[in-house]
Amino acid sequence: MSKFNLYMVRHGQTYFNIYNKLQGWSNSPLTEKGIQNAVDTGEKLKDTKFAAAYCSDTTRAEQTAQTILDENDASDIDAPITSMFFREEFYGYFEGNDMSQAWYLAGAPHGLPTFRDIVEKYSIGKAKDYLKEADPFHQAENNQEYWKRLDQGFDLIKQNPEIKDGDNVLLISHGNTLLSVVERYGNGQFDVTERPANGSLTKLTVDGDDIHVVAFNQQ
């Protein structure tokens, strides 16, 4: 299994981002600013050679990934590999709901009325567990379910025989997913109470199960 550099980029701005709605497995189109987010990030990464590129199977991630690849002069990749393993957390009943309201319903019964309150006292993982508890259908992903899925995505990348030692890999991701990854692998060095900017870059080194965050929310 190779040691490689993973460039995780948050998708460009969507209409749900403007409206402060939980997006999860649902989708809304990229705004004009969101398309520009992808173009700007693609310009910054145009000379970075990627051995492979991945994204979730949501159109916001696919469009962002394709735009970045189209801007890239150093790589020979026509299109990203898409997988549901890379999707954002599934918010169940709260898909499309106002973000602040959803986290209030999840955290208030525990005396923690905001996402920040939950994370500062416990963790992003605990926030996932609370949201599933608050979901009247209990279909939202809890922390264990979420990581079981996302780990399959990481395995998909690690098992790619085309990726060699020292290669760079592109992964278009999502806000809560980036926070979750940084919380797990960032050794407490980064603030995970605020979502990273659309189009921002988070860099990791991956060596089997040894994963380290080396930069977060670069714009």
Side-chain angles (χ1 to χ4, degrees):
M1 203 170 286
S2 303
K3 179 179 181 180
F4 58 89
N5 305 305
L6 185 62
Y7 286 65
M8 294 186 70
V9 175
R10 187 183 179 198
H11 62 78
Q13 183 195 70
T14 67
Y15 285 95
F16 271 23
N17 291 152
I18 294 176
Y19 307 149
N20 196 41
K21 290 180 178 291
L22 289 177
Q23 208 156 193
W25 289 14
S26 305
N27 205 44
S28 66
L30 295 185
T31 63
E32 287 187 15
K33 182 178 179 180
I35 296 169
Q36 191 62 48
N37 290 148
V39 170
D40 291 345
T41 303
E43 177 67 23
K44 292 172 188 172
L45 297 175
K46 70 177 183 178
D47 296 322
T48 302
K49 180 175 176 59
F50 293 109
Y54 296 84
C55 66
S56 74
D57 58 351
T58 57
T59 56
R60 62 189 186 274
E62 292 174 345
Q63 187 175 359
T64 301
Q66 193 61 58
T67 300
I68 291 174
L69 291 175
D70 289 345
E71 294 285 322
N72 193 280
D73 295 329
S75 308
D76 187 23
I77 302 173
D78 292 328
I81 298 168
T82 64
S83 173
M84 67 87 61
F85 294 146
F86 300 118
R87 288 181 191 174
E88 178 63 290
E89 173 185 350
F90 181 51
Y91 298 115
Y93 174 78
F94 297 104
E95 292 270 315
N97 281 22
D98 177 84
M99 194 177 296
S100 299
Q101 182 183 54
W103 290 119
Y104 176 84
L105 292 171
H110 307 276
L112 302 165
T114 69
F115 178 78
R116 176 186 286 271
D117 290 337
I118 301 169
V119 174
E120 286 182 342
K121 182 167 183 180
Y122 295 112
S123 66
I124 295 171
K126 180 66 76 173
K128 289 179 174 62
D129 291 343
Y130 282 170
L131 199 72
K132 187 179 184 73
E133 288 177 18
D135 181 349
F137 295 90
H138 300 297
Q139 291 181 339
E141 287 181 313
N142 63 21
N143 195 50
Q144 181 179 1
E145 292 164 336
Y146 170 82
W147 276 106
K148 180 179 179 182
R149 174 174 58 79
L150 190 62
D151 280 340
Q152 292 178 80
F154 280 125
D155 287 343
L156 189 68
I157 300 174
K158 294 175 190 176
Q159 293 164 7
N160 184 340
E162 301 299 318
I163 299 172
K164 310 301 182 186
D165 281 344
D167 277 351
N168 302 312
V169 176
L170 178 67
L171 172 59
I172 308 307
S173 189
H174 302 268
N176 192 290
T177 290
L178 282 161
L179 291 179
S180 301
V181 168
V182 170
E183 180 179 73
R184 174 168 281 199
Y185 298 115
N187 297 316
Q189 298 179 57
F190 306 98
D191 179 10
V192 293
T193 61
E194 293 286 342
R195 288 193 170 220
N198 293 106
S200 64
L201 172 65
T202 296
K203 294 171 70 175
L204 299 88
T205 58
V206 180
D207 186 4
D209 292 332
D210 189 18
I211 302 175
H212 296 283
V213 179
V214 296
F216 174 54
N217 196 24
Q218 290 185 333
Q219 299 175 52

